[in-house]
């Protein structure tokens, strides 16, 4: 199967080759970063908790790299507590609401995680993160603590509240990811690598986070429902199913698909803000850091649209496709071309019999128009059909000659 994927997508093979040529193994990376002691351990935790984020964080400008690493680990610690269903409700809410104070307490660790919590070790050794956090410039600490306070309060609220309305959904995603966009934007600004306005236009930063979070929530519906939780707003799924479990039931597949497509459409509305945000980023490593998750998200949500496999299990883009996206997320022009290419894929999937067709068609039209007018050299041309025909021709000719030689040798 992997071989067929490479044959059908040869540019992904090329991207994979260059990616592995350019990126060192984790141990070599920390040596190249010239870190030691507690900070080296923090980068080890970064690799343990998220290989994808680790790669882009470690390529950031040195003025930001350690600060962003620690910001991520603080929020990962907070999220680990929020996700742990073995922690009693009152205890969990207290931890979430005071975590912004905990990060100033030298020596604090947490050993109450459940046996299945994969990131428990981070909390067991959290004093390491605190030591390095306290070495950051005060303006970095202030941003991280403020975002931690606000996110912890939001998480505490949703340990008791459910996502009922679309307003709840936007608020939950703001707490989970929009605030991350706020914090990153403010860190970019205080580092001096980006203009102060980047840290002030927080609506755009919020949309960046919502685009990622909503994509993940939409994709993970099967896994979440089987785990006994659901982040799709009741205002959406209740139109198509009697319960959250009924939503992914194969006997309710037609309605489940309609719910899925409505959720995908909700994600797509954030595209203009995503591109506007990226347009204001100037420093190359910051741009790549921001752009890579966004191109992954557009590829993922287009894959999810009208895809029944989402309701049956976890759906992911191909590894080679992901590496190609990483390699292309270097400039605003290349990112816009990537978005344009996936919007064209979405256009082919958006059939007239789909109840979301008209809404999605409007998003497609606006996005293509906005992008095409700003691209150098005009809108990109898709040669996928021509390439597939060429591959088909090659295999047909090869099969013919193989059959001919086999018959000839049999006489």
């Amino acid at each position: 199967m992997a071989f067929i994927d490479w044959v059908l997508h040869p540019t992904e093979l090329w991207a994979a080759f260059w990616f592995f040529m350019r990126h060192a193994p984790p141990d070599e990376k920390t040596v190249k970063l010239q870190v030691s002691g507690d900070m080296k351990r923090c980068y080890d935790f970064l690799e343990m908790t998220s290989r994808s984020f680790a790669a882009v964080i470690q390529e950031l400008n040195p003025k930001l790299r350690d600060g962003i690493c620690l910001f991520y680990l603080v929020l990962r610690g907070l999220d680990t507590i929020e996700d742990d269903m073995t922690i009693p409700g009152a205890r969990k809410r207290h931890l979430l609401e005071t975590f912004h104070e905990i990060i100033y307490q030298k020596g604090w660790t947490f050993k109450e995680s459940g046996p299945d919590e994969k990131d428990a070790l981070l909390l067991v050794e959290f004093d390491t993160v605190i030591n390095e956090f306290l070495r950051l410039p005060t303006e970095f600490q202030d941003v991280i603590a403020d975002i931690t306070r606000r996110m912890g309060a939001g998480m505490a609220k949703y340990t008791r509240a459910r996502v009922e309305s679309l307003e709840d959904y936007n608020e939950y995603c703001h707490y989970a990811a929009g605030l991350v966009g706020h914090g990153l934007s403010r860190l970019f600004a205080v580092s001096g690598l980006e203009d102060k306005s980047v840290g002030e236009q927080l609506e755009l930063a919020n949309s960046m986070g919502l685009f990622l979070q909503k994509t993940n929530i939409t994709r993970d519906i099967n896994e979440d429902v089987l785990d006994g939780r659901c982040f799709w707003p009741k205002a959406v799924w209740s139109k198509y199913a009697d319960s959250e479990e009924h939503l992914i039931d194969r006997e309710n597949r037609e309605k489940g698909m309609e719910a899925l497509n409505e959720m995908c459409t909700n994600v797509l509305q954030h595209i203009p803000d995503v591109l506007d945000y990226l347009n204001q980023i100037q420093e190359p490593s910051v741009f790549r850091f921001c752009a890579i998750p966004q191109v992954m998200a557009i590829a993922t949500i287009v894959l999810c649209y009208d895809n029944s496999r989402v309701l049956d299990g976890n759906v992911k883009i191909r590894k080679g496709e992901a590496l190609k996206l990483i390699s292309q997320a270097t400039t605003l022009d290349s990112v816009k071309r990537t978005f344009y290419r996936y919007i064209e894929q979405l256009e082919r999937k958006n059939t007239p019999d789909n109840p979301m067709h008209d809404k999605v068609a409007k998003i497609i039209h606006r996005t293509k128009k906005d992008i095409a007018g700003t691209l150098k050299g005009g809108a990109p041309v898709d040669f996928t059909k021509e390439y597939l025909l060429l591959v088909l021709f090659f295999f047909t000719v090869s099969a013919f000659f193989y059959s001919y030689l086999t018959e000839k040798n049999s006489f």
Side-chain angles (χ1 to χ4, degrees), residues 133 154 160 181 198 209 244 267 272 274 278 308 315 325 345 347:
F133 167 76
R160 288 182 284 197
V198 172
E244 294 153 346
V267 178
V274 168
L278 292 175
S308 62
V315 172
L325 289 168
Q345 289 185 24
E347 191 171 28

Side-chain angles (χ1 to χ4, degrees), residues 70-71 74 95 97-109 126-150 186-187:
L70 293 165
F71 182 39
V74 166
L95 287 167
E97 290 170 344
T98 60
F99 206 73
H100 65 287
E101 298 171 352
I102 287 171
I103 59 177
Y104 287 97
Q105 297 175 17
K106 283 190 173 184
W108 185 90
T109 60
F126 204 74
D127 55 332
T128 302
V129 176
I130 292 173
N131 289 341
E132 289 301 324
F133 167 76
L134 294 175
R135 292 191 180 102
L136 288 174
T138 303
E139 55 267 31
F140 275 62
Q141 292 183 30
D142 290 346
V143 171
I144 294 172
D146 179 53
I147 296 301
T148 304
R149 175 185 61 81
R150 293 161 64 190
R186 289 165 61 186
L187 290 174

Side-chain angles (χ1 to χ4, degrees), residues 368-386:
K368 290 179 70 174
K369 183 180 178 181
D370 289 348
I371 292 176
T374 59
L375 284 179
K376 299 172 184 176
V381 180
D382 186 2
F383 291 107
T384 303
K385 290 182 180 178
E386 288 80 357

Side-chain angles (χ1 to χ4, degrees), residues 83-250:
D83 276 348
D84 194 335
M85 303 307 291
T86 68
I87 302 174
R91 171 71 169 147
K92 178 185 286 190
R93 283 188 289 276
H94 175 72
L95 287 167
L96 295 174
E97 290 170 344
T98 60
F99 206 73
H100 65 287
E101 298 171 352
I102 287 171
I103 59 177
Y104 287 97
Q105 297 175 17
K106 283 190 173 184
W108 185 90
T109 60
F110 184 80
K111 301 177 182 178
E112 303 169 35
S113 299
D116 299 324
E117 184 49 60
K118 61 184 179 65
D119 293 328
L121 185 60
L122 171 63
L123 292 174
V124 170
E125 298 185 36
F126 204 74
D127 55 332
T128 302
V129 176
I130 292 173
N131 289 341
E132 289 301 324
F133 167 76
L134 294 175
R135 292 191 180 102
L136 288 174
T138 303
E139 55 267 31
F140 275 62
Q141 292 183 30
D142 290 346
V143 171
I144 294 172
D146 179 53
I147 296 301
T148 304
R149 175 185 61 81
R150 293 161 64 190
M151 184 178 289
M155 287 180 169
K157 173 181 178 178
Y158 278 95
T159 59
R160 288 182 284 197
R162 290 178 66 85
V163 181
E164 299 279 347
S165 65
L166 286 171
E167 289 75 18
D168 292 339
Y169 183 49
N170 285 326
E171 182 182 61
Y172 173 80
C173 291
H174 167 71
Y175 286 134
L179 283 173
V180 179
H182 283 204
L184 289 172
S185 298
R186 289 165 61 186
L187 290 174
F188 299 157
V190 299
S191 73
L193 293 174
E194 296 294 342
D195 190 79
K196 286 197 302 183
S197 62
V198 172
E200 296 167 352
Q201 298 186 33
L202 297 180
E203 280 300 314
L204 294 180
N206 188 62
S207 271
M208 289 278 283
L210 264 60
F211 188 60
L212 302 181
Q213 183 70 10
K214 288 182 176 183
T215 295
N216 291 337
I217 287 174
T218 301
R219 180 198 61 196
D220 295 341
I221 181 61
N222 179 275
E223 179 183 339
D224 286 340
V225 170
L226 294 180
D227 284 345
R229 57 187 182 178
C230 180
F231 299 104
W232 285 21
K234 187 176 181 180
V236 173
W237 66 256
S238 63
K239 294 187 290 184
Y240 307 101
D242 298 328
S243 66
E244 294 153 346
E245 293 76 13
H246 190 217
L247 191 61
I248 62 172
D249 193 328
R250 292 198 174 190

Side-chain angles (χ1 to χ4, degrees), residues 252-283:
N252 188 44
R253 186 47 46 94
E254 183 178 347
K255 289 296 182 180
M257 289 295 293
E258 290 180 16
L260 170 63
N261 290 335
E262 182 169 342
M263 290 297 294
C264 288
T265 305
N266 185 280
V267 178
L268 295 168
Q269 68 179 328
H270 295 288
I271 291 176
D273 281 353
V274 168
L275 296 177
D276 284 347
Y277 182 92
L278 292 175
N279 187 49
Q280 64 182 345
I281 301 299
Q282 300 299 314
E283 206 278 334

Side-chain angles (χ1 to χ4, degrees), residues 326-346:
I326 291 171
S327 70
Q328 293 179 337
T330 53
T331 65
L332 183 62
D333 191 75
S334 62
V335 167
K336 285 183 175 181
R337 289 180 184 278
T338 297
F339 268 75
Y340 195 97
R341 185 170 72 250
Y342 282 102
I343 287 297
E344 285 194 317
Q345 289 185 24
L346 179 65

